[in-house]
Amino acid sequence: MVPSFLAAVLTRLFGDEAWRRLHAKAAFWVTVVMTVVLLAGAALVVVAESGAQHANITSYPRALWWSLETATTVGYGDFYPVTLWGRIIASLLMLSAITAFGVITAALATWFVGHAQEDMIRLGKAVGNHAREDAETLRSELRTLHARFDHVENLIRDKGPHSTP
């Protein structure tokens, strides 16, 4: 059963339009494929290492730990393949993991940049709207001032030295 917090996060992420885009789908599928690669790599390395002299990856739990260490490039050195096939599996696992982390990192970066870009567009529109409103207010006040000046000029002209009572 999925914890309610995790379910809420997943619902929010995958329910959002941004997460339905190509980069989100790519990150999701790379994660799924990488999980399968980790599980299969662990199973295959147990088979490759079984019966080998000095083999230390002799059970699936150990192999699973080794595959996680290898994929994350931690490499504690507690488990390592000693056969040629075990090392080939390890190499493929490392290359797959590096590629997967790159794709996932790029997808997350694209998502963050996309949201920042959307925020900037919204901000730009808000600033533009505010500037237009301010410009219209200024034009209106300027028209009012011109009308007052015209009125003052008319009063001065009508009451001036050349006017007749």
Side-chain angles (χ1 to χ4, degrees):
M1 178 153 178
V2 177
S4 61
F5 170 75
L6 183 58
V9 169
L10 291 174
T11 301
R12 181 170 174 130
L13 288 177
F14 291 110
D16 188 340
E17 177 62 33
W19 279 96
R20 285 183 241 152
R21 295 183 186 144
L22 180 61
H23 62 272
K25 289 178 183 176
F28 174 76
W29 285 111
V30 164
T31 303
V32 169
V33 168
M34 196 59 219
T35 301
V36 170
V37 167
L38 288 171
L39 296 172
L44 290 172
V45 83
V46 169
V47 172
E49 296 288 301
S50 67
Q53 188 177 3
H54 305 295
N56 56 21
I57 306 174
T58 55
S59 68
Y60 188 74
R62 284 184 173 194
L64 192 55
W65 175 248
W66 165 81
S67 71
L68 289 171
E69 284 182 334
T70 303
T72 58
T73 68
V74 171
Y76 292 121
D78 51 352
F79 300 114
Y80 51 88
V82 295
T83 65
L84 174 64
W85 282 109
R87 290 180 180 171
I88 290 172
I89 293 166
S91 298
L92 293 173
L93 184 63
M94 285 183 258
L95 291 173
S96 299
I98 290 168
T99 302
F101 290 137
V103 169
I104 291 169
T105 302
L108 287 173
T110 301
W111 183 69
F112 283 119
V113 168
H115 274 281
Q117 188 175 30
E118 289 170 6
D119 289 345
M120 291 302 293
I121 289 169
R122 275 194 299 274
L123 180 63
K125 287 179 180 177
V127 167
N129 289 339
H130 188 65
R132 278 189 291 282
E133 290 170 5
D134 283 351
E136 185 54 42
T137 301
L138 186 59
R139 279 193 286 278
S140 175
E141 289 177 6
L142 206 53
R143 281 191 294 272
T144 302
L145 283 174
H146 277 285
R148 285 183 178 173
F149 283 136
D150 289 344
H151 180 68
V152 169
E153 284 177 349
N154 289 335
L155 285 174
I156 291 171
R157 193 174 340 122
D158 292 343
K159 302 254 178 178
H162 301 293
S163 65
T164 57

